[in-house]
Amino acid sequence: MRDIATDRPRYGVNRIHVLLRREGWVVNHKRTERIYREEKLWVRTKKIRRRKLIAIARVAPEKPEFINHIWTMDFVHDQLMDGRKIRCLTLVDKLSREALQIDVNYRLKSADVVQALNLLKLERPLPKIICVDNGSEFTSLILEQWAYFNGVKLHFIPPGKPTDNGHIESFNGKLRDECLNMHEFESLDHAKKEIEKWRLEYNNWRPHRSLGNITPREFARRKIQQGKTELLLHA
């Protein structure tokens, strides 16, 4: 219970109980509540200082070793010409820097995140790990259940340390600088069209300095081909 509460500081007793049962612990809810109180693991409801949140111990994120090993995702905000707010859900492969998908809508909730991941599941293998921040869309029970049943580990970066998810932060900066700030979107459809156009250009035409000035798609193809060659050599 301490491990779960440390890794998921916003999880309450009910969710911790579900996770314990999922891991095979035969324990009734009353006993879980009693131990939860004795260990003082309750979720803090009043505002606390940022430095206390940062001090939460967490495991450092792994380094990606192959394509579709680690994905990372986040949200970017913008607005239309009439002032209506829009959100963009961005998903990036951490090794190739390929923009896997950018979902755009007025509101994007946990169910929309799961839907986006299920659509990607039809096109490519799911990753072993997805790096996210502690936003409510990512800490929701629906995403936790999806990750569990699909064999995907959710890695939550420490609050207040966006540099731990630097790949998606860098990508979001490019999206804003090269696309969002360059257009005045007349409608949601217009925003979707221009953002998807930019995503395809980013993957297929834009040279990436950290990849040796080749595109993310080209880098991914080389890595996949290299993996196939290594398999043949060891066959």
Side-chain angles (χ1 to χ4, degrees), residues 122-135:
L122 301 176
E123 301 175 3
R124 60 174 64 220
L126 288 173
K128 303 296 182 184
I129 302 169
I130 300 180
C131 293
V132 293
D133 62 23
N134 291 269

Side-chain angles (χ1 to χ4, degrees), residues 28-107:
N28 62 44
H29 201 283
K30 289 184 178 179
R31 187 181 181 191
T32 302
E33 288 184 340
R34 177 175 58 80
I35 299 174
Y36 184 84
R37 288 194 300 270
E38 290 175 355
E39 295 295 325
K40 299 180 180 180
L41 300 176
W42 52 78
V43 176
R44 296 177 183 269
T45 55
K46 60 182 180 180
K47 195 171 183 180
I48 60 177
R49 293 181 181 177
R50 180 176 292 273
R51 62 180 179 83
K52 290 186 178 180
L53 289 173
I54 293 174
I56 295 173
R58 291 171 186 256
V59 178
E62 297 182 32
K63 292 184 178 180
E65 299 178 359
F66 49 86
I67 303 299
N68 295 319
H69 180 194
I70 303 177
W71 292 357
T72 179
M73 62 181 175
D74 197 8
F75 287 102
V76 178
H77 300 261
D78 204 55
Q79 65 180 29
L80 305 179
M81 289 178 63
D82 60 11
R84 284 182 291 176
K85 306 293 184 181
I86 61 172
R87 301 186 83 191
C88 305
L89 172 66
T90 55
L91 292 102
V92 172
D93 182 272
K94 199 168 183 179
L95 182 63
S96 69
R97 272 70 162 182
E98 183 180 357
L100 307 175
Q101 190 166 328
I102 304 177
D103 273 17
V104 185
N105 216 322
Y106 294 117
R107 303 177 72 180

